[in-house]
Amino acid sequence: MTEPRVVVIGAGVAGISTAYVLQQQGFTDWVVLEKGSDVGGVWYWNHYPGLTCDVPSQIYQFAFAPKPDWERVWATGPQIQRYHRDVVDELGLADRIRCDTEVLAAEFDDADGTWTLTLSTGETMVADFVVCATGVLENPAIPDIDGLADFAGPVVHTARWDDSLVTDGRKIAVIGTGSTGVQVVSALQPGAAGITHFVRSPQWVLWAPMGLPQVGAVSALFRRAPGLLDRVHRGLLWGSGILADIVTTPSWRRRAVQAYARLSLRAQAPARLREDLTPDYEPLCKRQVVSGSYYRAIRARNASLVTERITGVEPGGVRTADGRLHEADVLVLATGFRAHDYMRPMEVTGREGIKLDDAWADGPRAYRMTAVPGFPNLFTVLGPNSPTGSISLQFSAELSAKYIAQWLTRFRDGELATVEVTEEATDAFNRQVAEAMVPTVWNTGCNSWYFTEGGTIDLWPFDRKTMVRMLSRPEDADFHVRVPAR
Ligand code: NA7
């Protein structure tokens, strides 16, 4: 038996799932490296006002760590961050996680089949396997707007919020109208002297009571009856299959949800802004925004909606194409993420010096979310094609980690030294993905963070059963497996 040395990079949903699986399967030589000062991934980095998960808490949780007593049906960011911390502590994973440790570079050594990692602490670390659990919505996208650096007041991206920033009583400009922009405008509007929301492309906003508390009696019942909690979780996983069907297959169900989105706009948006707030693409095409408060916020006296194109930022505010200067004291960038960076900015060098940046010049390309040709003994959890908008992230992270653990077991059993997915298998998978994307709602004529630089849609277009089938057992024919030298 040769115990594999495993480094997991990232301690968010994907990294914690991987850590749990490694612990459960009795691996002993592994560590999780996390660049943040705490666990939680996006829930650590994002703490802007109004942050709420748009997936109900009873499904946005690990199956192996069910929480009976969420405060809200849709939990807030701080609650979810605390949950991740608690899970790590309660499962005894904390000692394995090194925070404040960024991996700057990872290089594969062809001669001995190991990875050498260069850390921000100045150390190097050698591993047999690297599991990149580095996240999707990780690197903030800073817009390229003329004069941004000249703004006189604070400029803050929502994913790097400054908790000491005072916004009450000030004039706030918010750029961006995705889930984040909608949430931050709703939260900042009541206290602001004025809030201007710059909307380049309006979004469909599904109405939902996002502030709904989880009734105490329900929490008490779940605490007393863990079996019931488990059944509810499974029921929700099953139910999310309907959601997957809605986005991937045109049907009456899709039309019904789209009709609800149109109704939300008609019923909630102020009449004078309705035209400006009406998107020119189908509901559900972009990642659906859900809110119970945005239309109320944007119709308030101190709020204004600007759809005119931004031409630049000046010390005193934001200038638009009609020549107007929209005065502001604080500029909030709710401009999203470079969602296809994955492991980057880490410099990853695979077999024969292949750079990940070159391999992915046209956008990320992987096999079944987990493996990349040219990069032996490196796996990804919640890697390319993993965002789904319907299948639980925690479910796919745990499934992927268990899949990867099968390779680690074979290493431990002396059956392999290195494993690398083939180009052919990766191409075949990506052809399947492209074909399955055709009838999806994401392919109906809009632009969003789902699209890569190469124009492909970086999502999971199959159902949960297919995910389970693809990741239940490694298919040897899809891999180059090198056996250990005797
Ligand atoms: P998104 O959904 O990527 O939204 C980014 C927003 O920022 C979107 O409205 C963009 O407009 C806008 N944007 C980006 N650059 C500019 C410039 N230069 N000028 C004006 N507007 C700009 O990010 P979020 O953080 O809201 O949400 C990400 C995910 O987090 C979300 O989908 C959920 O899964 C949770 P555009 O639409 O491109 O015209």
Side-chain angles (χ1 to χ4, degrees):
M1 280 219 331
T2 315
E3 188 61 31
R5 294 163 293 177
V6 185
V7 173
V8 180
I9 307 176
V13 167
I16 294 172
S17 299
T18 308
Y20 169 76
V21 168
L22 294 176
Q23 182 201 51
Q24 286 300 300
Q25 301 205 4
F27 291 99
T28 55
D29 195 349
W30 57 274
V31 65
V32 181
L33 304 179
E34 165 56 54
K35 72 178 176 189
S37 300
D38 201 351
V39 302
V42 288
W43 303 105
Y44 165 79
W45 291 104
N46 285 265
H47 40 91
Y48 61 81
L51 173 60
T52 305
C53 184
D54 55 13
V55 178
S57 328
Q58 284 302 341
I59 189 166
Y60 197 88
Q61 60 178 341
F62 301 108
F64 54 81
K67 179 173 165 60
D69 48 3
W70 287 100
E71 289 160 44
R72 291 214 209 159
V73 174
W74 287 273
T76 63
Q79 288 164 1
I80 300 175
Q81 159 67 5
R82 209 174 323 124
Y83 166 72
H84 285 101
R85 183 73 248 165
D86 290 347
V87 167
V88 159
D89 289 340
E90 280 160 23
L91 295 179
L93 299 171
D95 290 348
R96 293 285 190 159
I97 301 174
R98 273 182 62 182
C99 290
D100 296 311
T101 310
E102 182 172 2
V103 181
L104 303 176
E107 186 168 2
F108 184 70
D109 183 330
D110 293 311
D112 68 1
T114 59
W115 284 90
T116 300
L117 310 184
T118 308
L119 313 188
S120 55
T121 54
E123 300 156 87
T124 54
M125 202 176 251
V126 176
D128 298 303
F129 289 90
V130 175
V131 180
C132 295
T134 41
V136 184
L137 303 174
E138 165 60 20
N139 294 311
I142 306 298
D144 183 15
I145 301 177
D146 261 6
L148 194 58
D150 302 333
F151 187 67
V155 178
V156 63
H157 189 284
T158 46
R160 296 292 180 270
W161 194 260
D162 173 359
D163 291 328
S164 67
L165 183 67
V166 176
T167 54
D168 279 3
R170 303 176 87 179
K171 282 182 276 180
I172 308 164
V174 178
I175 302 179
T177 184
S179 304
T180 305
V182 161
Q183 290 187 354
V184 84
V185 165
S186 305
L188 297 183
Q189 173 271 321
I195 189 159
T196 310
H197 194 192
F198 292 88
V199 172
R200 184 166 69 180
S201 327
Q203 292 258 21
W204 293 101
V205 181
L206 272 191
W207 185 86
M210 300 289 281
L212 199 66
Q214 177 170 308
V215 176
V218 170
S219 302
L221 182 65
F222 282 160
R223 253 189 249 115
R224 275 203 312 276
L228 175 66
L229 181 60
D230 185 51
R231 276 205 293 280
V232 167
H233 186 73
R234 282 167 200 253
L236 288 168
L237 282 181
W238 176 85
S240 65
I242 299 174
L243 209 57
D245 186 55
I246 287 172
V247 284
T248 55
T249 320
S251 70
W252 67 269
R253 288 199 189 112
R254 183 189 290 178
R255 286 193 297 279
V257 178
Q258 291 178 324
Y260 180 62
R262 293 192 175 93
L263 177 67
S264 297
L265 178 79
R266 267 203 310 280
Q268 298 280 322
R272 69 186 157 87
L273 298 179
R274 205 171 292 153
E275 199 183 325
D276 283 345
L277 286 169
T278 304
D280 60 1
Y281 53 85
E282 284 189 31
L284 297 174
C285 184
K286 292 185 188 236
R287 165 67 193 230
Q288 188 55 53
V289 176
V290 186
S291 172
S293 50
Y294 175 69
Y295 288 138
R296 194 176 52 229
I298 203 65
R299 82 156 72 95
R301 275 165 177 274
N302 64 343
S304 25
L305 180 81
V306 175
T307 53
E308 198 68 37
R309 189 172 56 84
I310 294 171
T311 50
V313 170
E314 296 175 16
V318 180
R319 178 84 63 187
T320 45
D322 54 5
R324 275 191 67 191
L325 179 70
H326 304 268
E327 287 180 12
D329 308 315
V330 177
L331 180 51
V332 176
L333 304 175
T335 43
F337 299 87
R338 301 198 308 272
H340 314 289
D341 281 5
Y342 292 100
M343 298 87 122
R344 277 78 59 88
M346 181 168 69
E347 196 178 312
V348 187
T349 310
R351 173 176 47 77
E352 294 158 16
I354 301 171
K355 301 276 184 206
L356 187 70
D357 282 346
D358 295 334
W360 282 4
D362 293 331
R365 178 173 155 274
Y367 168 87
R368 300 184 184 180
M369 306 187 285
T370 53
V372 183
F375 298 83
N377 288 14
L378 177 142
F379 292 102
T380 54
V381 176
L382 298 184
N385 294 108
S386 63
T388 65
S390 54
I391 301 170
S392 153
L393 277 185
Q394 289 77 3
F395 176 86
S396 47
E398 190 183 340
L399 184 70
S400 301
K402 285 178 174 160
Y403 172 84
I404 294 162
Q406 294 185 53
W407 288 114
L408 305 184
T409 301
R410 287 170 68 173
F411 180 97
R412 183 162 63 182
D413 293 347
E415 290 174 23
L416 66 87
T418 63
V419 55
E420 177 190 339
V421 71
T422 65
E423 287 282 355
E424 296 74 22
T426 308
D427 282 345
F429 172 72
N430 280 279
R431 277 197 301 275
Q432 267 178 295
V433 168
E435 200 178 307
M437 282 299 174
V438 175
T440 65
V441 74
W442 313 308
N443 190 34
T444 53
C446 66
N447 196 10
S448 71
W449 63 263
Y450 290 167
F451 284 84
T452 67
E453 301 83 339
T456 56
I457 304 175
D458 186 10
L459 292 177
W460 183 260
F462 312 110
D463 60 12
R464 200 161 60 95
K465 251 197 212 149
T466 308
M467 185 185 279
V468 171
R469 182 174 53 73
M470 285 188 178
L471 292 177
S472 53
R473 294 205 75 74
E475 288 170 31
D476 277 22
D478 291 347
F479 291 85
H480 301 293
V481 173
R482 197 160 60 79
V483 295
R486 300 270 167 212

